[in-house]
Amino acid sequence: MKTENTVWHEQHISKEQRASLKSQKPCLLWYTGLSGSGKSTVANAVDALLFKLGCHSYLLDGDNVRHGLNGDLGFTDEDRVENIRRISEVSKLFLDAGLIVSTAFISPFTEDRARARAKLEDGEFIEVYIDTPISVCEQRDPKGLYKKARAGEIKDFTGIDSTYDVPQSPEIHVKTAELSIQECAEQIVHYLIEQGFITMNKNDSDNIGRLGQG
Protein backbone atom coordinates (compact mmCIF):
# COMPACT_ATOMS: atom_id res chain seq x y z
CA MET A 1 0.00 0.00 0.00
CA LYS A 2 1.27 3.47 -0.89
CA THR A 3 1.89 5.95 1.93
CA GLU A 4 1.26 9.67 1.77
CA ASN A 5 5.02 10.26 2.01
CA THR A 6 5.85 8.24 -1.10
CA VAL A 7 6.52 10.40 -4.15
CA TRP A 8 7.68 9.56 -7.68
CA HIS A 9 11.36 10.38 -8.24
CA GLU A 10 12.07 11.77 -11.70
CA GLN A 11 15.22 10.42 -13.37
CA HIS A 12 17.61 12.47 -15.50
CA ILE A 13 17.62 9.91 -18.34
CA SER A 14 14.29 9.34 -20.08
CA LYS A 15 12.86 6.16 -21.57
CA GLU A 16 13.14 7.75 -25.01
CA GLN A 17 16.85 8.41 -24.51
CA ARG A 18 17.50 4.84 -23.37
CA ALA A 19 15.57 3.44 -26.33
CA SER A 20 17.37 5.74 -28.77
CA LEU A 21 20.72 4.46 -27.51
CA LYS A 22 19.53 0.94 -28.36
CA SER A 23 18.08 1.97 -31.75
CA GLN A 24 14.70 0.38 -31.01
CA LYS A 25 11.26 1.17 -29.60
CA PRO A 26 10.41 -0.49 -26.29
CA CYS A 27 7.36 -2.72 -26.22
CA LEU A 28 5.83 -5.59 -24.29
CA LEU A 29 5.07 -8.86 -26.06
CA TRP A 30 2.40 -10.34 -23.80
CA TYR A 31 2.10 -14.06 -24.65
CA THR A 32 -1.12 -15.64 -23.45
CA GLY A 33 -2.54 -19.11 -23.98
CA LEU A 34 -3.31 -22.40 -22.29
CA SER A 35 -0.72 -24.46 -20.47
CA GLY A 36 1.17 -26.46 -23.08
CA SER A 37 0.19 -24.11 -25.91
CA GLY A 38 3.81 -23.21 -26.60
CA LYS A 39 4.04 -19.75 -24.99
CA SER A 40 7.48 -20.20 -23.44
CA THR A 41 8.85 -22.11 -26.42
CA VAL A 42 7.76 -19.45 -28.92
CA ALA A 43 8.83 -16.60 -26.63
CA ASN A 44 12.28 -18.15 -26.28
CA ALA A 45 12.57 -18.55 -30.06
CA VAL A 46 11.59 -14.91 -30.56
CA ASP A 47 14.05 -13.77 -27.91
CA ALA A 48 16.83 -15.73 -29.63
CA LEU A 49 15.97 -14.11 -32.99
CA LEU A 50 15.96 -10.65 -31.42
CA PHE A 51 19.37 -11.32 -29.89
CA LYS A 52 20.78 -12.34 -33.28
CA LEU A 53 19.34 -9.16 -34.77
CA GLY A 54 21.21 -7.10 -32.19
CA CYS A 55 18.11 -6.08 -30.23
CA HIS A 56 18.07 -5.49 -26.50
CA SER A 57 15.37 -7.75 -25.07
CA TYR A 58 14.43 -9.79 -22.02
CA LEU A 59 12.03 -12.67 -21.40
CA LEU A 60 10.05 -12.98 -18.17
CA ASP A 61 8.78 -16.55 -18.04
CA GLY A 62 5.84 -17.45 -15.81
CA ASP A 63 7.42 -20.47 -14.14
CA ASN A 64 10.72 -18.68 -13.56
CA VAL A 65 9.06 -15.65 -11.98
CA ARG A 66 7.09 -17.91 -9.63
CA HIS A 67 10.40 -19.25 -8.31
CA GLY A 68 11.32 -15.82 -7.00
CA LEU A 69 9.29 -12.62 -7.20
CA ASN A 70 5.95 -14.45 -7.12
CA GLY A 71 7.06 -17.46 -5.12
CA ASP A 72 4.51 -16.68 -2.41
CA LEU A 73 1.52 -16.95 -4.78
CA GLY A 74 -0.68 -19.94 -5.55
CA PHE A 75 -3.17 -20.44 -8.37
CA THR A 76 -6.43 -19.19 -6.93
CA ASP A 77 -8.19 -16.47 -8.94
CA GLU A 78 -6.97 -13.89 -6.42
CA ASP A 79 -3.36 -15.07 -6.64
CA ARG A 80 -3.50 -15.11 -10.43
CA VAL A 81 -4.63 -11.47 -10.41
CA GLU A 82 -1.76 -10.50 -8.11
CA ASN A 83 0.67 -12.55 -10.21
CA ILE A 84 -0.25 -10.52 -13.30
CA ARG A 85 -0.26 -7.21 -11.40
CA ARG A 86 3.32 -7.74 -10.23
CA ILE A 87 4.65 -8.84 -13.59
CA SER A 88 2.93 -5.87 -15.24
CA GLU A 89 4.77 -3.49 -12.95
CA VAL A 90 8.10 -5.24 -13.51
CA SER A 91 7.55 -5.18 -17.28
CA LYS A 92 6.86 -1.45 -17.14
CA LEU A 93 10.24 -0.91 -15.47
CA PHE A 94 11.96 -2.98 -18.16
CA LEU A 95 10.28 -0.89 -20.86
CA ASP A 96 11.48 2.24 -19.10
CA ALA A 97 14.99 0.86 -19.62
CA GLY A 98 14.28 0.79 -23.36
CA LEU A 99 13.96 -2.97 -23.74
CA ILE A 100 11.73 -5.19 -25.85
CA VAL A 101 10.14 -7.36 -23.16
CA SER A 102 8.37 -10.71 -23.46
CA THR A 103 6.15 -12.23 -20.79
CA ALA A 104 4.99 -15.84 -21.08
CA PHE A 105 2.10 -16.32 -18.66
CA ILE A 106 -1.25 -18.04 -19.05
CA SER A 107 -2.85 -14.76 -17.85
CA PRO A 108 -6.33 -16.27 -18.28
CA PHE A 109 -8.51 -13.27 -17.47
CA THR A 110 -9.39 -10.51 -19.94
CA GLU A 111 -9.60 -7.94 -17.14
CA ASP A 112 -6.05 -8.61 -15.99
CA ARG A 113 -4.65 -8.34 -19.50
CA ALA A 114 -6.57 -5.08 -19.96
CA ARG A 115 -5.11 -3.70 -16.73
CA ALA A 116 -1.61 -4.64 -17.88
CA ARG A 117 -2.23 -2.85 -21.18
CA ALA A 118 -3.54 0.25 -19.39
CA LYS A 119 -0.27 0.65 -17.48
CA LEU A 120 1.66 1.28 -20.70
CA GLU A 121 1.67 3.96 -23.37
CA ASP A 122 -0.48 3.48 -26.46
CA GLY A 123 0.96 0.87 -28.80
CA GLU A 124 3.48 -0.56 -26.34
CA PHE A 125 1.35 -3.53 -25.25
CA ILE A 126 1.30 -6.29 -27.88
CA GLU A 127 -1.01 -9.17 -27.02
CA VAL A 128 0.27 -12.40 -28.58
CA TYR A 129 -2.39 -15.09 -28.46
CA ILE A 130 -0.82 -18.53 -28.67
CA ASP A 131 -3.89 -20.29 -30.01
CA THR A 132 -3.55 -24.04 -29.51
CA PRO A 133 -6.55 -26.36 -29.06
CA ILE A 134 -6.78 -27.85 -25.58
CA SER A 135 -6.76 -31.32 -27.15
CA VAL A 136 -3.29 -30.58 -28.57
CA CYS A 137 -2.13 -29.08 -25.27
CA GLU A 138 -3.23 -32.23 -23.47
CA GLN A 139 -1.42 -34.43 -25.98
CA ARG A 140 1.76 -32.44 -25.40
CA ASP A 141 1.31 -32.07 -21.63
CA PRO A 142 5.08 -31.49 -21.15
CA LYS A 143 4.78 -31.15 -17.37
CA GLY A 144 2.09 -33.80 -16.85
CA LEU A 145 -0.23 -31.12 -15.46
CA TYR A 146 -3.34 -31.98 -17.48
CA LYS A 147 -3.12 -35.59 -16.36
CA LYS A 148 -2.93 -34.47 -12.73
CA ALA A 149 -5.75 -31.95 -13.20
CA ARG A 150 -8.01 -34.58 -14.78
CA ALA A 151 -7.25 -36.86 -11.83
CA GLY A 152 -8.20 -34.12 -9.39
CA GLU A 153 -4.65 -33.78 -8.07
CA ILE A 154 -4.41 -30.11 -9.17
CA LYS A 155 -7.15 -27.60 -8.47
CA ASP A 156 -7.85 -24.30 -10.27
CA PHE A 157 -6.18 -25.53 -13.46
CA THR A 158 -6.87 -23.30 -16.46
CA GLY A 159 -8.98 -24.99 -19.12
CA ILE A 160 -10.13 -27.75 -16.77
CA ASP A 161 -11.71 -26.22 -13.68
CA SER A 162 -10.62 -22.61 -14.09
CA THR A 163 -11.68 -20.22 -16.85
CA TYR A 164 -9.58 -19.03 -19.77
CA ASP A 165 -10.86 -15.90 -21.52
CA VAL A 166 -9.92 -16.17 -25.19
CA PRO A 167 -8.47 -12.87 -26.54
CA GLN A 168 -10.94 -11.21 -28.90
CA SER A 169 -8.61 -8.89 -30.80
CA PRO A 170 -4.94 -9.72 -30.14
CA GLU A 171 -2.30 -7.81 -32.05
CA ILE A 172 -0.71 -11.13 -33.04
CA HIS A 173 -2.56 -14.44 -33.45
CA VAL A 174 -0.24 -17.45 -33.51
CA LYS A 175 -1.36 -21.04 -34.21
CA THR A 176 1.31 -23.45 -33.03
CA ALA A 177 -0.64 -26.50 -34.17
CA GLU A 178 -0.33 -25.30 -37.77
CA LEU A 179 3.11 -23.66 -37.84
CA SER A 180 6.58 -24.66 -36.69
CA ILE A 181 8.12 -22.84 -33.74
CA GLN A 182 10.48 -21.09 -36.13
CA GLU A 183 7.60 -19.91 -38.32
CA CYS A 184 5.74 -18.65 -35.25
CA ALA A 185 8.82 -16.73 -34.11
CA GLU A 186 9.32 -15.19 -37.55
CA GLN A 187 5.66 -14.10 -37.64
CA ILE A 188 6.13 -12.18 -34.40
CA VAL A 189 9.47 -10.60 -35.35
CA HIS A 190 8.09 -9.50 -38.71
CA TYR A 191 5.26 -7.77 -36.84
CA LEU A 192 7.81 -5.85 -34.76
CA ILE A 193 9.60 -4.78 -37.92
CA GLU A 194 6.40 -3.75 -39.71
CA GLN A 195 5.27 -1.69 -36.71
CA GLY A 196 8.62 0.07 -36.39
CA PHE A 197 9.77 -1.37 -33.08
CA ILE A 198 12.85 -2.74 -34.85
CA THR A 199 14.58 -0.86 -37.65
CA MET A 200 16.02 -3.10 -40.36
CA ASN A 201 16.74 -2.90 -44.05
CA LYS A 202 14.75 -5.14 -46.40
CA ASN A 203 17.60 -7.64 -46.95
CA ASP A 204 18.02 -8.23 -43.23
CA SER A 205 14.26 -8.57 -42.83
CA ASP A 206 14.10 -11.15 -45.62
CA ASN A 207 16.91 -13.16 -44.01
CA ILE A 208 15.31 -13.62 -40.59
CA GLY A 209 14.56 -17.27 -41.35
CA ARG A 210 18.23 -17.97 -41.94
CA LEU A 211 19.13 -16.43 -38.58
CA GLY A 212 16.80 -18.84 -36.85
CA GLN A 213 18.51 -21.79 -38.50
CA GLY A 214 22.01 -20.69 -37.59
Side-chain angles (χ1 to χ4, degrees):
M1 179 180 292
K2 296 179 182 178
T3 69
E4 60 183 19
N5 297 317
T6 300
V7 296
W8 185 261
H9 181 74
E10 294 295 339
Q11 299 181 356
H12 291 300
I13 309 300
S14 70
K15 177 168 68 175
E16 290 73 23
Q17 288 173 301
R18 297 181 194 280
S20 178
L21 187 66
K22 298 174 175 62
S23 300
Q24 62 186 36
K25 285 173 57 180
C27 63
L28 173 57
L29 290 165
W30 189 279
Y31 295 83
T32 177
L34 295 170
S35 178
S37 61
K39 297 181 301 299
S40 294
T41 304
V42 173
N44 266 291
V46 170
D47 203 47
L49 271 181
L50 293 175
F51 182 82
K52 290 180 179 179
L53 292 170
C55 299
H56 298 258
S57 63
Y58 196 78
L59 168 60
L60 295 163
D61 181 76
D63 283 351
N64 293 352
V65 171
R66 279 185 176 272
H67 274 87
L69 175 66
N70 294 347
D72 59 322
L73 300 176
F75 291 91
T76 64
D77 287 356
E78 292 77 13
D79 281 352
R80 287 177 184 274
V81 170
E82 176 61 13
N83 185 49
I84 297 306
R85 188 197 69 79
R86 292 184 194 179
I87 202 60
S88 300
E89 294 292 349
V90 171
S91 298
K92 186 176 179 180
L93 293 175
F94 275 60
L95 261 68
D96 192 56
L99 300 179
I100 295 173
V101 183
S102 294
T103 65
F105 292 76
I106 293 174
S107 52
F109 305 129
T110 299
E111 273 189 20
D112 294 340
R113 300 194 296 264
R115 275 194 288 265
R117 183 187 293 271
K119 292 179 185 295
L120 306 182
E121 296 179 19
D122 287 346
E124 287 184 338
F125 186 96
I126 302 169
E127 188 173 48
V128 184
Y129 175 32
I130 305 299
D131 181 3
T132 308
I134 191 169
S135 58
V136 175
C137 295
E138 288 202 64
Q139 288 172 10
R140 294 173 179 172
D141 203 10
K143 305 170 189 175
L145 299 179
Y146 282 99
K147 184 178 180 180
K148 291 180 179 179
R150 292 292 187 190
E153 298 174 22
I154 298 178
K155 300 297 182 184
D156 303 314
F157 191 78
T158 303
I160 304 299
D161 58 354
S162 185
T163 302
Y164 178 75
D165 297 335
V166 174
Q168 296 304 303
S169 54
E171 280 75 14
I172 307 176
H173 191 162
V174 178
K175 297 186 177 183
T176 63
E178 299 176 10
L179 300 173
S180 69
I181 295 302
Q182 178 61 27
E183 289 171 328
C184 293
E186 290 176 21
Q187 176 186 347
I188 294 164
V189 172
H190 276 297
Y191 176 91
L192 295 177
I193 295 170
E194 291 166 0
Q195 298 300 314
F197 293 101
I198 303 171
T199 303
M200 298 178 63
N201 61 48
K202 186 177 186 305
N203 287 337
D204 288 339
S205 178
D206 290 342
N207 289 330
I208 287 177
R210 295 180 186 176
L211 284 175
Q213 297 166 6

